Amino acid sequence: MTSSQKTRSFSWGNRDPEEAEVTMFDVFHGEMRERIVLQRLIVIARLPRDRADRTEPGAHYEKLNFQLNKQYIWDQMTGLLLIYPSCLLHVIESSREVLVSVLKDLKDMQQQPDGALLEAPKVVFMAHNPQSRLFQQWSYKVLDADEEVRDSGVKRLEEEEESTESLVCTVLSALQKLGEHLETSKKAAPGSVLDESPELIVSQEVLLKLLTRDELQTPQQHLQMYNSSLSTTMDFGQVVRSSCLTTV
């Protein structure tokens, strides 16, 4: 499978923004997007050992993205899905309604009688009203085992106590670096950037350790919290965010 075959993207329309004629619809669409409160969701999950085709999760979320963009026409979903040999990391950026739809889809996926596409999904982080998007489109990339690079951040984790907070901070820091690299390189697709700079890839080892942590909620637990009283706080996310500011 070639690199181009393993990297897919989905963006709002197929027009080149430098060549496309700006219409009143585009202006109105831009104004509507500015009114949407942006949220960012980061989830992880194991891949079933009996599923050989690792492009299946990418195809599933590509279809879901298309459906959500039709349902929520102003709430474009952007993000990145990285599919590792044993697990996946999914970053989704959009409105609350879209993110809830993604969580519901994950919950429903676990109840499929013919075997789930993903196993033991966990919510790593939820950011409310981030300053900007890390990604300007949604895309997915299937990673080979030799594409993963162990960086100094992972080595530091091995030398100190691996708290759940420190592991989450490692993921957030790596994603922030990738977003900054995308901005400076002016490349829309993260896949090509990761091909050129594999050190930006979040370590699979960190993700697998996070999947064992009971502090992280399942999609069902997160949805229950969403539907609970407004007095419910999200202290874990706030603590992690503030603690990672010096490392991001």
Side-chain angles (χ1 to χ4, degrees), residues 2-246:
T2 64
S3 176
S4 61
Q5 289 175 314
K6 294 191 296 180
T7 305
R8 296 289 302 277
S9 64
F10 186 95
S11 59
W12 183 271
N14 297 314
R15 297 179 299 172
D16 186 335
E18 296 182 356
E19 298 178 358
E21 179 182 355
V22 178
T23 66
M24 286 302 297
F25 175 82
D26 296 320
V27 174
F28 182 65
H29 173 252
E31 291 176 351
M32 287 297 296
R33 285 189 60 187
E34 290 179 358
R35 299 176 189 174
I36 297 170
V37 178
L38 179 66
Q39 299 192 12
R40 181 180 299 127
L41 172 68
I42 303 175
V43 297
I44 55 177
R46 294 185 185 275
L47 295 179
R49 294 183 179 181
D50 58 347
R51 290 184 181 268
D53 186 2
R54 289 192 290 130
T55 64
E56 284 186 300
H60 173 83
Y61 281 109
E62 195 170 51
K63 180 179 179 181
L64 179 63
N65 189 7
F66 179 77
Q67 293 172 343
L68 292 176
N69 276 336
K70 289 178 61 179
Q71 183 177 358
Y72 303 100
I73 189 171
W74 306 116
D75 306 6
Q76 182 185 9
M77 184 176 112
T78 63
L80 176 64
L81 171 64
L82 293 179
I83 306 173
Y84 297 76
S86 301
C87 63
L88 62 75
L89 167 68
H90 198 182
V91 184
I92 310 104
E93 300 172 319
S94 191
S95 66
R96 177 184 184 275
E97 288 75 18
V98 170
L99 267 55
V100 167
S101 297
V102 173
L103 288 171
K104 288 181 177 178
D105 178 74
L106 266 172
K107 185 191 71 171
D108 295 342
M109 197 184 300
Q110 305 310 299
Q111 300 172 351
Q112 294 178 359
D114 57 343
L117 189 63
L118 305 174
E119 294 179 347
K122 297 273 190 177
V123 176
V124 174
F125 188 71
M126 170 75 82
H128 299 274
N129 200 20
Q131 293 183 350
S132 61
R133 295 176 186 256
L134 289 175
F135 308 100
Q136 297 307 308
Q137 62 181 26
W138 183 89
S139 62
Y140 78 88
K141 181 174 177 59
V142 179
L143 300 170
D144 293 329
D146 57 357
E147 287 186 273
E148 185 185 351
V149 176
R150 290 169 57 83
D151 61 12
S152 57
V154 177
K155 293 179 181 179
R156 286 196 300 271
L157 283 174
E158 293 177 345
E159 297 170 358
E160 62 186 30
E161 182 182 357
E162 294 178 311
S163 66
T164 300
E165 185 173 320
S166 64
L167 291 170
V168 172
C169 283
T170 299
V171 174
L172 296 181
S173 298
L175 291 173
Q176 184 67 31
K177 290 177 182 177
L178 175 58
E180 292 172 354
H181 199 93
L182 286 169
E183 185 176 358
T184 56
S185 65
K186 304 300 181 182
K187 293 182 179 179
S192 58
V193 172
L194 294 176
D195 287 337
E196 297 170 0
S197 305
E199 68 276 5
L200 296 173
I201 299 174
V202 180
S203 168
Q204 177 180 245
E205 180 182 352
V206 170
L207 302 181
L208 291 176
K209 289 178 180 178
L210 279 172
L211 283 166
T212 67
R213 302 303 169 98
D214 293 333
E215 300 98 308
L216 299 184
Q217 295 182 328
T218 66
Q220 184 172 359
Q221 290 171 331
H222 208 77
L223 286 169
Q224 289 173 347
M225 181 180 66
Y226 256 3
N227 296 326
S228 63
S229 170
L230 292 177
S231 62
T232 302
T233 59
M234 298 179 66
D235 293 335
F236 179 72
Q238 296 298 326
V239 170
V240 170
R241 184 174 177 81
S242 60
S243 302
C244 292
L245 288 178
T246 57

